[in-house]
Amino acid sequence: MMQEPRFGAGLWHFASYVDRYAVDGYGPPRTTLDAIALAGSVGELSVVDLNFPFTPGVGQDEVKDALAEAGLSAIGITPEIYLRRWSRGAFTNPDPAARGAALDLMHEAAGVVRDLGADYVKIWPGQDGWDYPFQVNHHEVWKLAVDGMVELAGAHPDLRFAIEYKPREPRVKMLWDSAARTILGIQQTGLDNVGVLLDFGHSLYGGESPADAAQLLIDHDLLYGMDVNDNLRGWDDDLVVGTVHMTEIFEFFHTLRANGWDGVWQLDQFPFREDSVDAARTSIRFLKAIHRALDLLDVPALREAQARQDAMAAQRLVQDALLQSMAGDR
């Protein structure tokens, strides 16, 4: 049996949430330090991805101390370039001053990555895109997006920058919307320190096969990290992993193992109405079962079935492994 993976989570998993209906929130406000303490209480997380800036009044040294006390380390820093100030874009904002402010924040986040010893700056350009036909000049906004990444990542050749793509939300159409387009954009930068963080739910929501997207990124040596969750494919629901698409998440992790990809298995979930610690523990319980199922899977027989494109033979092998795996739960 292969050694269990490390588990991580976006720190927002332990935050309080609002939506356009419950504008008063689904729980009391939580600081960065509160969220770190909750993440530590899960017991099986080793790393977290932190939003930046931290909540008001929380300093970098306090975050360091809180992470150490919780037995955690930082895997990524995610600059908040998607807030109201950048509602018309961060890299692609029509106001040069707004673009400059967004880049300043991302440069600052790069310094935090160095200070905390994290693996990457995660770039989620959620406001870069458009909402209506004819709203933008497509050539110009794409050039701004790519040139902005060149300016950012080119200034920090010692660090890695992971772009998290998504088809839409908050913009009706996001620029970095798929694995394929993100690969093309990264190739246009000409830089070797820009890659991708593949969010399983974003891939589902975008009509991709997450396993196929992972393979494409691995083949281009661009899979820097991944987040797992689940959804009903019509929206980025950020549900607990494995609650809907159990077979596809198994194929996703099989693809990672088949390619020797051994990064952190990281949660990106929004348990609006559930206890966040319980949701994280339930997720990890499932992911451990997936890990056992990968050991149970008869890979040579699966390869033979795939060589024949024998869907039913492949499904029987997958079902045998997947449905046995929960029996090992402890």
Side-chain angles (χ1 to χ4, degrees):
M1 181 174 179
M2 291 190 66
Q3 183 178 354
E4 279 190 349
R6 290 193 301 156
F7 298 111
L11 196 61
W12 48 90
H13 185 289
F14 305 96
S16 53
Y17 312 109
V18 299
D19 60 25
R20 61 186 179 138
Y21 299 102
V23 294
D24 55 343
Y26 283 90
R30 289 177 182 157
T31 69
T32 301
L33 303 182
D34 294 334
I36 290 172
L38 280 173
S41 73
V42 171
E44 297 190 86
L45 294 176
S46 59
V47 298
V48 288
D49 182 336
L50 295 95
N51 302 94
F52 181 79
F54 309 126
T55 51
V58 174
Q60 211 157 298
D61 288 340
E62 290 176 282
V63 167
K64 274 187 182 178
D65 292 343
L67 288 170
E69 186 175 343
L72 299 167
S73 59
I75 188 172
I77 299 295
T78 300
E80 294 182 327
I81 56 171
Y82 39 80
L83 302 181
R84 181 172 60 188
R85 182 174 188 182
W86 295 292
S87 65
R88 292 189 179 274
F91 292 99
T92 63
N93 199 294
D95 179 0
R99 294 200 301 272
L103 281 166
D104 287 346
L105 179 61
M106 288 183 272
H107 287 306
E108 191 177 352
V112 178
V113 166
R114 288 192 188 91
D115 189 44
L116 295 184
D119 289 5
Y120 48 74
V121 181
K122 190 183 80 184
I123 302 300
W124 185 65
Q127 300 285 8
D128 286 316
W130 66 91
D131 305 308
Y132 294 92
F134 287 98
Q135 184 174 8
V136 299
N137 178 304
H138 295 289
H139 174 78
E140 290 179 1
V141 294
W142 183 240
K143 187 174 188 304
L144 284 171
V146 173
D147 288 353
M149 283 304 305
V150 171
E151 182 176 345
L152 173 64
H156 307 278
D158 58 315
L159 297 182
R160 299 203 302 171
F161 293 80
I163 300 171
E164 181 178 4
Y165 69 85
K166 184 179 178 181
R168 61 171 298 186
E169 192 211 12
R171 294 312 286 258
V172 172
K173 179 68 174 177
M174 283 175 57
L175 280 171
W176 303 89
D177 66 350
S178 63
R181 182 168 179 134
T182 305
I183 289 169
L184 287 172
I186 291 170
Q187 289 176 340
Q188 282 182 258
T189 70
L191 299 174
D192 62 5
N193 63 331
V194 181
V196 175
L197 185 138
L198 195 168
D199 182 296
F200 181 83
H202 293 179
S203 187
L204 285 177
Y205 175 34
E208 295 179 330
S209 155
D212 176 61
Q215 187 65 63
L216 187 64
L217 291 165
I218 289 169
D219 287 346
H220 286 81
D221 197 26
L222 291 175
L223 186 60
Y224 283 10
M226 57 89 164
D227 287 339
V228 290
N229 43 45
D230 216 329
N231 61 51
L232 299 177
R233 258 195 165 98
W235 194 251
D236 184 33
D237 303 303
D238 282 324
L239 301 176
V240 164
V241 60
T243 51
V244 185
H245 292 96
M246 194 177 293
T247 304
E248 283 183 275
I249 194 74
F250 188 36
E251 185 189 23
F252 176 74
F253 281 112
H254 166 69
T255 301
L256 298 183
R257 180 178 285 196
N259 286 276
W261 193 91
D262 61 354
V264 171
W265 292 21
Q266 187 154 287
L267 308 175
D268 180 358
Q269 303 175 156
F270 279 69
F272 282 84
R273 299 166 185 84
E274 287 67 47
D275 179 86
S276 59
V277 171
D278 186 37
R281 288 174 177 164
T282 301
S283 302
I284 292 170
R285 174 179 181 268
F286 173 76
L287 291 175
K288 285 183 172 183
I290 287 289
H291 185 261
R292 290 192 294 271
L294 291 171
D295 289 329
L296 292 168
L297 183 64
D298 186 340
V299 175
L302 177 64
R303 286 177 179 156
E304 288 180 9
Q306 289 176 332
R308 304 188 304 272
Q309 293 193 19
D310 189 336
M312 293 301 101
Q315 287 301 307
R316 287 191 292 271
L317 293 165
V318 167
Q319 290 165 1
D320 286 347
L322 197 53
L323 297 177
Q324 287 182 67
S325 65
M326 292 307 297
D329 180 49
R330 293 177 295 279

